[in-house]
Amino acid sequence: REGLSLDMAQPEAKTAIEVDGPTHFLKCTKGTQRVENGRTKFKSRLLRQLGWTLIHIPYFDWNALNDAVAQDSYLQSKTISNA
């Protein structure tokens, strides 16, 4: 069986969570905004066209969180804003 790989998915609700590590972004010079690479953009666009809700968790956001409470709050905000 072939298809897309998703970090977490609830197919019946067409909802997925993608934890985007450094390989999902173009290498930028210091101080510039991070930009998703073509493969990540394509995957996101394809899933949206198929009716999926996609929630991205960028590594740099996650790494900036200091504790489990902050991580929980972050995840709740991401899932509520995409509901």
Side-chain angles (χ1 to χ4, degrees):
R1 190 175 204 207
E2 292 186 35
L4 296 174
S5 171
L6 298 168
D7 293 326
M8 290 183 224
Q10 190 174 33
E12 58 279 356
K14 286 191 168 187
T15 301
I17 296 176
E18 282 287 287
V19 181
D20 296 334
T23 60
H24 288 260
F25 298 91
L26 298 174
K27 293 186 186 235
C28 299
T29 58
K30 190 174 184 173
T32 62
Q33 184 178 4
R34 293 169 181 91
V35 177
E36 289 181 331
N37 64 27
R39 182 180 177 143
T40 298
K41 284 184 179 183
F42 175 76
K43 184 177 179 179
S44 296
R45 188 172 37 245
L46 178 61
L47 286 166
R48 281 193 213 100
Q49 287 179 345
L50 293 171
W52 282 69
T53 298
L54 191 56
I55 300 166
H56 288 276
I57 311 284
Y59 77 96
F60 45 86
D61 284 351
W62 188 258
N63 289 348
L65 302 171
N66 297 323
D67 55 34
V69 173
Q71 292 170 341
D72 187 52
S73 178
Y74 177 82
L75 291 174
Q76 286 183 21
S77 72
K78 294 291 272 187
T79 54
I80 290 170
S81 68
N82 285 291

